[in-house]
Amino acid sequence: MTIVPAIKRDYITKLAEQGKRIDGRGFDQYRPIEIETKVVNKAEGSARVKIGNTQVLCGIKMDIGEPFPDTPTTGVMSTAAEFVPLASPDFESGPPREDAIELARVVDRGVRESQVIQLEKLCITPGEKVWLVFIDIHILDYDGNLFDAASLAALAALLTTKVPISRFIKNLDEKDRASWQQQLLDIYTIPGIDEAPFGSDDTNNTQVTINDFPLPMIEPPISCTAVKINDFVLFDSCFDEEIIADARLTVATDHKGDIRAMQKGLSGSFSREEIQKVIKGALDNGQEIRKILNQSIGK
Amino acid sequence: MKSDRELINSEGRRLDGRSPHDLRKIKIEAGVLHRADGSCSLEWGGNKVLVAVYGPREAVPRHVQNPLKAIVQARYNMAAFSVEDRKRPGPDRRSVEISKVISEALEKVVLIEQFPRASIDVNIEVLDAEAGTRCAGLTAAGVALVDAGIPLRDIPVACAAGKIGGRVVLDLGKEEDNYGDADLPIAISPRTGEVLLLQMDGHLTIDEFNEAFDLAMKGCYEVSEIQKKAILQKYQSAAAEVQE
Amino acid sequence: MTNEGRQVVIPGQILGEIPALQPGRGTFVENKKIFAERLGVMNIQEKFIHIIPLKGRYDPVVGDFVIGVVLEASTSNWMVDINAPYPALLHVNEVPWEIEFADTEKYLNTGDTILAKVLSVDESKKLQITLNDRNLFKLKGGHLIEFEPSVYRRIIGKKYSMIEIIQKYTRCRIKVGKNGRIWIDGDADGIEKVLAAISMIEREAITFGLTDRIEEFLKKDAKDVR
């Protein structure tokens, strides 16, 4: 475990009292954000996000499998995070510890609960075959604020994901193909999907060839995280700030300015006023980050 | 499994247009991570690997310490999305074996006797996999060890040769690996020619083995030059910075 | 200072042969040939080839001044991180205070920072440090930053000239540990200026006249403040 020198802790809080941070940023200010998409060839979608020195890679894999019995016509998504020892001297190999599980679940909720992926459009044959979407988050370099980096990487990766129907079509029988064609007709009406996901083979007209097409998505909420050090609320904490933080609050807001997910972490507490302050900062920063995200996917 | 596709044609052209003695394209960059003591990112054909070195640091738990020398702990890990069919996260038997043979290969070149009780941790993350990830990982590990300032006898390097369509060729690609006749990955210390890692699967005659071995050695020397260039590119400008 | 020595070398690179040359720090010998064992800059002094490392952990040498962070206190000693591969031991006999048995935490506790001296390095690399010397003490207040141990000499300058100049223009107290740690005490503006000067020293490729350039930079900054 990293031991924080008391001097560093005191210096960060002393600076905060003067309205300053160790890297010269304002309390609400993020470090530079870079998003690079399509970085993994083998993945159906991928993105590498850098926030300052923090780097997170997210890859999306898809497969065909059975739906849950209670939701026979919806696709299935799952999210996992690996805190690989590559990213920090304090990360250990082995099964995911609670930090990695919390991160994966918060990213998962941000996507699932606001129905960013239109899972109901990922049904092939009701009750039998649906698309499975696996979101895998790989931490590459840990310098604080993994929540925002991971959720942004997941969104950028999902927004550039192509449903790999061309690879899977051979696994579908006649019934599945007919059912899937009907589903495709629905998906094709989704705004934003402008390339034809299927076409017919003119030569013998018996075989349907199908192109990969973008994952059906809606405008996602953006997560912004602040930490509390003494009585100060700082956004996008770097590692030195994060390890002395008392409390952490993540707020995901959508493009209409509504709140879509929240998560409070660590053993400190927030007052109602502080929570309002975080929401305000999350809205302001969320707008800026949304622009960067849209730019990265060529929108 | 044999392919009905022709992996190499009568003129000796391979599926990706390479001749039998050609390597795939390799790109190496040293010092790419902030938290690690040393790091390297490497692209080799369709492979993408990232390596971070931590240490030397006191080995934990205590019972793994060697009172006379450092231990080298390589950990080879494939990202879930690095392969066509998603891989379950975490170590499996294959990655444990590869980690072991890479650890042993690296231990031979690290001056481990300088750091009793310590461990040097080499984390190899495969982000995109397309045949030859262990060679890519070990080669990147060599650069990351240098970048971490670890004392070494030499910079280890790896490359494979194999046999496709009855011919011995260098550096198997994806299809060649899946449908070829044999694969022979080796790692060497290029200064001495000592073999640090050697594995083989498939079927080779003694003559074919000798030919493949020589070819893999040649490949190692080529890759070694790319490693050195990457390190010097990162640190050449630092030459003037140091005052004695 | 020899200019022909300014060459980046990499592990396994041949540097020369015995007896024309002799192996120094950061080299090893095989069959009378001298090789570099790590990434660094080659330097030849009176036939001895040394490698000045460009990267790597701090390699403790007896007598070095180091800045340590206390990892844990036990009944008769403390374990201290000095940025080396191993934590260093600070025994109760090696501090300037009279300490009752098991009272160590009252004097130094986890997270405390000290300016210490390397007392011993044994064959199995067990390290001991001491606070029993003048100018050694527990550091309070200020700020602590880390740098690559290889740029130590550049940061202190010739006969501490660099540090003296920085202290003069920033009104800060500065202690530089050979282990790649700097402690700076002063007001926030002063500390900020020191950080700017140090990152400039780390970045600057040409060492010739660097002290003058840093002085110029600090002077200009001082005017801007006024």
Side-chain angles (χ1 to χ4, degrees):
Chain A
M1 254 267 314
T2 302
I3 302 285
V4 197
I7 284 182
K8 223 174 209 174
R9 182 187 297 265
D10 295 344
Y11 182 66
I12 290 172
T13 51
K14 215 174 90 187
L15 275 184
E17 282 160 16
Q18 302 171 24
K20 292 179 176 172
R21 291 172 77 171
I22 36 170
D23 50 12
R25 282 184 288 154
F27 284 3
D28 290 346
Q29 197 184 347
Y30 270 68
R31 294 167 288 178
I33 298 176
E34 279 175 49
I35 306 174
E36 194 188 344
T37 59
K38 297 175 187 160
V39 288
V40 178
N41 294 325
K42 281 289 185 300
E44 270 70 76
S46 61
R48 184 203 291 250
V49 166
K50 290 186 193 174
I51 303 184
N53 289 318
T54 289
Q55 275 193 63
V56 172
L57 179 63
C58 178
I60 310 295
K61 288 302 294 180
M62 291 188 69
D63 202 346
I64 291 172
E66 270 180 48
F68 289 112
D70 53 338
T71 52
T73 60
T74 44
V76 174
M77 62 168 280
S78 75
T79 309
E82 277 200 85
F83 280 28
V84 286
L86 174 98
S88 158
D90 299 328
F91 290 173
E92 288 162 17
S93 53
R97 291 175 309 169
E98 52 182 24
D99 289 346
I101 291 171
E102 185 193 18
L103 178 77
R105 285 186 56 84
V106 169
V107 172
D108 188 276
R109 269 206 297 282
V111 173
R112 187 188 302 273
E113 300 305 323
S114 40
Q115 289 149 16
V116 173
I117 307 173
Q118 297 184 300
L119 291 172
E120 73 282 3
K121 305 218 154 144
L122 294 179
C123 175
I124 294 169
T125 307
E128 290 178 23
K129 288 197 172 103
V130 296
W131 286 104
L132 315 178
V133 184
F134 297 98
I135 302 170
D136 281 289
I137 294 158
H138 230 68
I139 314 297
L140 302 182
D141 211 349
Y142 171 44
D143 191 17
N145 199 9
L146 291 179
F147 281 80
D148 295 354
S151 60
L152 196 53
L155 293 177
L158 287 167
L159 284 163
T160 50
T161 293
K162 290 278 178 80
V163 179
I165 182 64
S166 60
R167 184 152 58 86
F168 281 97
I169 192 74
K170 60 180 187 297
N171 302 2
L172 298 180
D173 61 25
E174 279 308 311
K175 187 184 81 178
D176 293 330
R177 287 186 193 202
S179 174
W180 174 240
Q181 282 221 46
Q182 192 50 49
Q183 302 290 332
L184 274 179
L185 288 172
D186 295 343
I187 294 172
Y188 195 48
T189 62
I190 299 169
I193 297 185
D194 45 31
E195 37 189 306
F198 61 97
S200 59
D201 186 341
D202 286 337
T203 47
N204 54 19
N205 225 352
T206 54
Q207 180 92 29
V208 177
T209 61
I210 296 189
N211 304 325
D212 296 345
F213 62 95
L215 197 61
M217 302 261 296
I218 59 157
E219 184 84 32
I222 302 288
S223 290
C224 290
T225 301
V227 297
K228 188 174 150 185
I229 297 172
N230 283 5
D231 290 326
F232 304 102
V233 171
L234 314 175
F235 274 85
D236 180 33
S237 50
C238 63
F239 178 75
D240 282 341
E241 293 169 337
E242 195 154 300
I243 40 173
I244 65 164
D246 306 309
R248 184 191 68 230
L249 182 59
T250 302
V251 178
T253 55
D254 65 18
H255 61 295
K256 292 180 195 144
D258 293 338
I259 302 169
R260 302 306 292 265
M262 294 174 99
Q263 178 90 348
K264 185 257 166 189
L266 307 182
S267 58
S269 62
F270 285 99
S271 69
R272 187 180 180 136
E273 290 71 31
E274 285 163 347
I275 292 169
Q276 302 291 354
K277 205 189 269 180
V278 177
I279 293 172
K280 168 82 172 57
L283 279 168
D284 294 346
N285 279 302
Q287 276 186 10
E288 291 307 308
I289 294 172
R290 186 180 302 282
K291 281 183 206 155
I292 300 170
L293 175 64
N294 285 337
Q295 226 164 37
S296 77
I297 58 166
K299 215 165 110 182
Chain B
M1 187 166 69
K2 287 270 179 189
S3 165
D4 41 3
R5 295 182 71 177
E6 195 186 41
L7 294 172
I8 186 163
N9 69 16
S10 51
E11 281 97 61
R13 285 274 153 220
R14 295 153 73 177
L15 289 176
D16 54 7
R18 283 187 290 157
S19 74
H21 293 190
D22 287 346
L23 285 169
R24 288 173 287 179
K25 207 175 156 228
I26 298 174
K27 205 175 117 192
I28 304 178
E29 199 182 339
V32 294
L33 297 175
H34 168 73
R35 288 298 295 282
D37 292 317
S39 60
C40 172
S41 104
L42 179 146
E43 290 176 36
W44 184 327
N47 294 305
K48 249 186 215 145
V49 299
L50 194 56
V51 176
V53 169
Y54 288 93
R57 55 186 178 182
E58 199 163 55
V60 283
R62 220 171 215 154
H63 68 83
V64 303
Q65 291 183 1
N66 184 322
L68 300 176
K69 59 191 185 184
I71 52 170
V72 178
Q73 305 189 94
R75 177 183 166 278
Y76 166 103
N77 183 48
M78 283 184 118
F81 45 75
S82 64
V83 281
E84 193 132 297
D85 295 320
R86 178 179 182 269
K87 183 197 161 290
R88 270 178 70 96
D92 52 22
R93 295 173 65 85
R94 175 180 173 275
S95 62
V96 169
E97 183 213 341
I98 294 177
S99 300
K100 178 173 184 288
V101 292
I102 291 180
S103 299
E104 290 160 350
L106 298 178
E107 202 162 304
K108 171 73 185 168
V109 291
V110 176
L111 288 155
I112 46 177
E113 55 281 7
Q114 290 188 12
F115 304 103
R117 300 179 286 115
S119 81
I120 293 163
D121 300 309
V122 182
N123 299 295
I124 301 168
E125 291 296 326
V126 178
L127 304 175
D128 226 331
E130 204 173 271
T133 56
R134 78 195 65 189
C135 290
L138 193 144
T139 299
V143 174
L145 283 166
V146 177
D147 184 52
I150 308 279
L152 305 171
R153 267 179 260 276
D154 201 2
I155 307 167
V157 62
C159 188
K163 185 180 156 191
I164 55 168
R167 289 193 60 168
V168 170
V169 298
L170 186 62
D171 183 23
L172 298 187
K174 182 78 194 152
E175 303 261 298
E176 297 173 338
D177 189 33
N178 286 351
Y179 305 114
D181 310 314
D183 188 17
L184 173 72
I186 65 168
I188 64 165
S189 161
R191 182 170 64 79
T192 59
E194 291 164 294
V195 176
L196 309 172
L197 175 149
L198 188 152
Q199 295 182 304
M200 200 287 266
D201 61 2
H203 187 160
L204 293 173
T205 65
I206 303 293
D207 287 345
E208 283 167 345
F209 168 79
N210 288 326
E211 191 189 343
F213 184 82
D214 289 343
L215 195 54
M217 286 287 270
K218 173 187 116 42
C220 284
Y221 287 114
E222 272 182 56
V223 180
S224 170
E225 290 307 314
I226 305 171
Q227 283 179 310
K228 289 176 189 168
K229 250 185 221 150
I231 297 162
L232 289 176
Q233 191 173 2
K234 172 88 185 174
Y235 288 102
Q236 196 70 268
S237 63
E241 291 182 32
V242 175
Q243 213 166 11
E244 59 280 358
Chain C
M1 210 188 290
T2 47
N3 267 326
E4 68 271 23
R6 291 280 164 77
Q7 185 201 342
V8 172
V9 294
I10 55 176
Q13 187 171 333
I14 185 155
L15 306 174
E17 281 186 48
I18 297 173
L21 289 161
Q22 293 295 323
R25 272 174 288 116
T27 67
F28 66 95
V29 177
E30 268 176 28
N31 300 323
K32 296 197 170 172
K33 291 192 175 72
I34 305 166
F35 297 94
E37 67 169 33
R38 57 199 293 186
L39 174 69
V41 172
M42 183 166 82
N43 180 251
I44 302 173
Q45 277 178 342
E46 292 167 15
K47 286 176 74 176
F48 276 86
I49 303 184
H50 298 289
I51 303 299
I52 305 160
L54 283 169
K55 286 284 291 280
R57 299 253 155 155
Y58 164 63
D59 185 18
V61 174
V62 172
D64 280 358
F65 285 93
V66 295
I67 293 176
V69 177
V70 177
L71 296 171
E72 62 174 310
S74 52
T75 50
S76 62
N77 58 53
W78 296 266
M79 291 314 284
V80 181
D81 169 42
I82 59 165
N83 218 10
Y86 316 90
L89 187 122
L90 174 64
H91 193 264
V92 283
N93 293 341
E94 294 298 333
V95 297
W97 316 296
E98 290 280 336
I99 293 178
E100 302 267 321
F101 182 75
D103 232 7
T104 47
E105 283 184 19
K106 277 191 191 160
Y107 295 85
L108 285 174
N109 212 340
T110 304
D112 283 345
T113 303
I114 53 174
L115 180 63
K117 202 169 83 172
V118 178
L119 181 69
S120 67
V121 182
D122 79 4
E123 268 182 17
S124 67
K125 297 266 179 160
K126 291 227 163 69
L127 309 175
Q128 277 210 60
I129 54 173
T130 181
L131 281 181
N132 274 336
D133 199 300
R134 52 195 187 93
N135 300 328
L136 299 181
F137 47 91
K138 176 177 166 181
L139 298 168
K140 285 178 201 150
H143 186 29
L144 184 68
I145 60 162
E146 304 207 335
F147 62 92
E148 197 62 51
S150 62
V151 296
Y152 170 76
R153 280 164 195 276
R154 202 138 46 97
I155 284 173
I156 58 165
K158 259 192 195 138
K159 293 180 183 157
Y160 288 87
S161 55
M162 188 70 90
I163 286 303
E164 275 166 19
I165 282 169
I166 299 175
Q167 297 199 97
K168 183 176 143 197
Y169 284 97
T170 60
R171 298 209 185 108
C172 285
R173 272 175 88 199
I174 303 173
K175 297 285 173 195
V176 186
K178 258 200 147 169
N179 58 333
R181 287 197 180 126
I182 304 176
W183 175 75
I184 312 155
D185 193 20
D187 62 26
D189 290 338
I191 292 178
E192 230 168 85
K193 256 188 268 175
V194 176
L195 296 181
I198 285 173
S199 73
M200 190 170 153
I201 295 168
E202 281 186 298
R203 267 199 326 269
E204 285 278 317
I206 300 156
T207 49
F208 183 77
L210 183 58
T211 322
D212 295 341
R213 288 205 300 286
I214 293 290
E215 181 162 15
E216 221 30 60
F217 164 74
L218 291 167
K219 260 188 198 164
K220 185 167 142 273
D221 211 45
K223 267 181 220 143
D224 288 350
V225 172
R226 274 179 225 129

